[in-house]
Amino acid sequence: MSIRVMLVDDEPLALENVYEAVSWQEHGFEVVARATNGKIALGLFERLRPHIVITDISMSPMDGLELGKRIRELGPNTRLIFLTAYRDFDYARQALDLKAAHYLLKHEISRNRLLAQLLKLREDIEAEQAEERHQRRRAWRALFDSKPDAKGEPETRENAMQPSFAVSLLYFELNSRMRLDGRRECDRLEDTVLLDTLAEETIRETEEAREILLLETEGGGYAAVVELSVSNSLLITQYALRQVSLALQRSLQRHTGHTPRVMIATNLERDAHRHWQMIRHQYAYAYFLPARSVFLFEQALASNAKPPSGSEERIQAGIKDGPESLTVWKRLLDDIVERAATDALLAAVAAAGEKWIRTGAGRPDMLLGSDAREIAAALNRSAEAIANAERQRSSFSRWVQKAMDHVRDNYADPELSLETVAEHLQISAVHLRTTFKKETGISLLDFTTEYRMEIAKQLLLKEDLKIYEVSEQVGYRTSQYFSQVFKKATGLHPKDYMRAEAER
């Protein structure tokens, strides 16, 4: 990143002499402005925020000392180098009062002397920038990774971020997919060093971005904190952020092969944590958009303004009523996709996932798709499969259905057996064994084992459960026996199954 420099002198020839005295780009500097008037220079400083200002002292109507004072008020860390043609100690004293980085007489300016001072300043500025980036990175990561407490407020964490000024964010997820449990799953960059490379390339490719801090967030997505070099007009800011987003997409495509949908969020201020949580939630709107889209946070919010009429009640009814409501369920999902109603789609996934996972009809990590139509189609396929299973179940006799229900309700009981089920149903064990095998083609013991193994697969994917805890929850007294049964049913030891699923 180049160190930005502004040159100020009311004598054009003197200004040119200073400019010619240094090979700026060769040494990592960029002269972003040259001004022949103190007032003009002040306006340029407010817009361009150079790191170093080299200014003549004797100017009119605003002299260099007044300019330096005003610059100090706007940018306390700006380095000042004062030039003058006069050997006047009073000038030097006033310059030192302004914490000038250096004070040079014009006739003493030479390439080596000015360059030596500039190189020292560059070293100081780069060290300062590195420390500032480190602190900002820690602060933003604390915000992105914080979790709300029971009252919905963010946890108190060291270096918690609460911006005192408006900032802009770009948020994206690589190859984002919706899971049956309602969570989004996405890819991650293998090399986190690539984040800085992506940020640097994006800055080079755009005129709008002055600085970009690109971070991976706890949920797997990526947030780019963007400082713009344009005015604070909302329309101009949004246009500039769109250009930055497109440049970032191009850089990601070159390095990763991914071109993610990018959400633009302006003015992250006041309750930054709550705003950030909303950004994460509303990114689901991306599923309704074409690949490579760039969209505004406000667009995502507007998608929930007019959800399908009575959608929440219809979603719950569609899940509860089973196969009889399959047509209504499909029609509701089509309506949600057509209206791009994000919250209604998430509610449908949550309602379906809750029931289907609980009844063993689906797994939490089951991937539904990467866009709304794929998600709706996957939900429809699952609903059809469940409806078919329900129809098949309805063909069983009353005793077989009751036996299945008792197993599903009591699978965690290690005493569960053919005899205990028959006792509960108040029929003979011999009659239950014969009837169950005749109607289903498998024994009640096999049905119980299959059901327990499906539940065990779901529980093994929970990071907070150990194998012995899973074995207890599905009705086995020892983890060793559970592991034997699991391997026989799946071909894998529980540990190998967990490892294989984590690598998927």
Side-chain angles (χ1 to χ4, degrees):
M1 181 178 177
S2 296
I3 303 300
R4 300 186 300 275
V5 180
M6 181 169 70
L7 309 178
V8 188
D9 198 311
D10 60 354
E11 296 181 16
L13 182 59
L15 189 65
E16 189 66 22
N17 287 340
V18 176
Y19 181 74
E20 295 293 336
V22 176
S23 299
W24 301 97
Q25 290 187 345
E26 179 183 337
H27 296 286
F29 298 96
E30 178 188 5
V31 177
V32 294
R34 288 184 278 178
T36 56
N37 179 293
K39 289 186 176 180
I40 293 175
L42 187 61
L44 289 170
F45 178 84
E46 288 182 300
R47 183 163 60 88
L48 301 173
R49 296 295 171 135
H51 302 99
I52 300 173
V53 175
I54 303 175
T55 179
D56 184 24
I57 288 183
S58 181
M59 297 187 299
S60 178
M62 179 188 291
D63 66 26
L65 294 175
E66 178 62 23
L67 174 62
K69 180 181 177 182
R70 301 283 291 277
I71 285 174
R72 276 290 179 204
E73 293 171 353
L74 294 170
N77 293 329
T78 307
R79 271 62 173 185
L80 299 171
I81 297 179
F82 287 105
L83 305 176
T84 184
Y86 303 100
R87 293 182 178 274
D88 191 325
F89 178 75
D90 187 54
Y91 280 134
R93 181 183 58 76
Q94 292 181 62
L96 292 173
D97 287 343
L98 289 172
K99 297 181 180 178
H102 208 61
Y103 175 82
L104 290 175
L105 296 176
K106 285 187 176 181
H107 73 274
E108 294 178 338
I109 293 176
S110 68
R111 177 189 175 115
N112 290 337
R113 186 167 182 183
L114 180 56
L115 178 59
Q117 182 60 31
L118 287 168
L119 291 176
K120 183 178 183 304
L121 291 182
R122 189 189 73 182
E123 183 179 332
D124 294 342
I125 291 170
E126 288 176 343
E128 187 177 279
Q129 288 176 335
E131 178 60 24
E132 287 177 355
R133 280 195 298 272
H134 175 68
Q135 294 298 332
R136 285 200 302 274
R137 190 180 296 275
R138 289 184 62 188
W140 282 106
R141 188 172 295 285
L143 171 68
F144 295 148
D145 293 351
S146 60
K147 298 179 178 65
D149 60 17
K151 297 180 180 179
E153 298 298 327
E155 292 177 336
T156 301
R157 297 180 61 160
E158 183 182 4
N159 295 315
M161 184 69 179
Q162 185 65 42
S164 58
F165 56 93
V167 297
S168 298
L169 285 183
L170 307 179
Y171 179 75
F172 62 90
E173 295 175 359
L174 297 176
N175 194 24
S176 180
R177 291 93 67 194
M178 178 69 74
R179 293 171 27 151
L180 183 59
D181 63 4
R183 291 189 292 172
R184 298 195 298 269
E185 181 175 298
C186 52
D187 296 340
R188 292 183 179 233
L189 296 175
E190 294 181 3
D191 184 6
T192 55
V193 176
L194 182 58
L195 293 174
D196 290 336
T197 302
L198 294 168
E200 291 168 4
E201 287 186 0
T202 303
I203 291 172
R204 284 199 300 269
E205 289 188 21
T206 61
E207 297 179 354
E208 294 84 2
R210 176 180 296 157
E211 186 171 355
I212 297 175
L213 183 64
L214 186 55
L215 296 169
E216 183 179 58
T217 69
E218 192 175 48
Y222 294 86
V225 184
V226 183
E227 180 185 347
L228 296 172
S229 57
V230 297
S231 71
N232 290 329
S233 162
L234 179 60
L235 290 178
I236 294 176
T237 296
Q238 290 178 347
Y239 174 81
L241 289 171
R242 177 174 176 80
Q243 301 311 304
V244 174
S245 299
L246 294 174
L248 179 57
Q249 286 179 325
R250 291 193 294 270
S251 186
L252 280 162
Q253 177 62 37
R254 284 194 298 270
H255 288 281
T256 70
H258 290 295
T259 308
R261 305 172 179 98
V262 178
M263 174 189 279
I264 295 172
T266 57
N267 298 330
L268 182 68
E269 55 184 342
R270 298 186 185 131
D271 191 345
H273 176 81
R274 194 176 302 278
H275 196 171
W276 164 242
Q277 295 300 323
M278 290 176 64
I279 289 169
R280 286 279 306 279
H281 174 78
Q282 293 297 336
Y283 185 77
Y285 177 67
Y287 290 131
F288 294 95
L289 302 176
R292 306 181 182 184
S293 296
V294 176
F295 62 101
L296 297 174
F297 171 69
E298 288 77 11
Q299 288 176 256
L301 282 178
S303 74
N304 295 313
K306 294 181 180 179
S309 177
S311 58
E312 185 173 348
E313 294 79 5
R314 290 161 65 196
I315 287 168
Q316 294 298 334
I319 291 295
K320 183 178 69 174
D321 296 342
E324 296 80 8
S325 63
L326 190 57
T327 302
V328 176
W329 172 248
K330 288 183 176 181
R331 192 177 299 129
L332 171 63
L333 288 176
D334 289 342
D335 196 11
I336 289 171
V337 173
E338 185 67 26
R339 293 172 182 248
T342 308
D343 280 355
L345 178 66
L346 297 177
V349 173
E354 181 181 0
K355 178 175 181 180
W356 297 348
I357 292 168
R358 178 164 37 85
T359 60
R363 292 170 35 165
D365 62 339
M366 171 184 166
L367 294 177
L368 300 177
S370 57
D371 65 57
R373 294 192 182 279
E374 286 183 3
I375 293 168
L379 288 175
N380 281 332
R381 287 194 299 271
S382 295
E384 287 175 358
I386 292 171
N388 290 335
E390 288 292 328
R391 281 190 286 270
Q392 182 182 11
R393 181 180 181 279
S394 64
S395 67
F396 297 143
S397 67
R398 178 168 59 95
W399 296 117
V400 170
Q401 290 185 40
K402 286 187 174 183
M404 289 179 169
D405 289 342
H406 187 72
V407 169
R408 292 190 182 104
D409 292 339
N410 298 275
Y411 66 87
D413 182 2
E415 301 293 338
L416 185 67
S417 65
L418 174 71
E419 289 72 20
T420 59
V421 176
E423 183 181 352
H424 174 76
L425 299 179
Q426 297 183 340
I427 60 175
S428 74
V430 174
H431 178 65
L432 178 59
R433 179 189 298 111
T434 304
T435 304
F436 197 94
K437 181 67 177 285
K438 180 180 178 181
E439 293 187 18
T440 66
I442 61 174
S443 69
L444 182 62
L445 175 61
D446 289 339
F447 175 81
T448 303
T449 300
E450 288 180 6
Y451 189 77
R452 281 172 164 169
M453 292 304 102
E454 286 303 313
I455 299 297
K457 289 177 184 177
Q458 299 171 27
L459 295 176
L460 286 170
L461 299 180
K462 293 186 176 181
E463 297 180 358
D464 55 339
L465 289 179
K466 306 296 183 183
I467 292 177
Y468 76 88
E469 293 175 314
V470 172
S471 69
E472 290 174 355
Q473 291 192 30
V474 294
Y476 292 91
R477 288 190 172 90
T478 69
S479 59
Q480 290 82 359
Y481 182 57
F482 162 72
S483 297
Q484 291 174 15
V485 176
F486 189 90
K487 186 173 183 179
K488 183 178 179 180
T490 66
L492 293 172
H493 186 278
K495 283 186 178 179
D496 297 329
Y497 174 80
M498 294 164 67
R499 189 179 301 112
E501 290 298 308
E503 293 174 356
R504 285 179 56 187

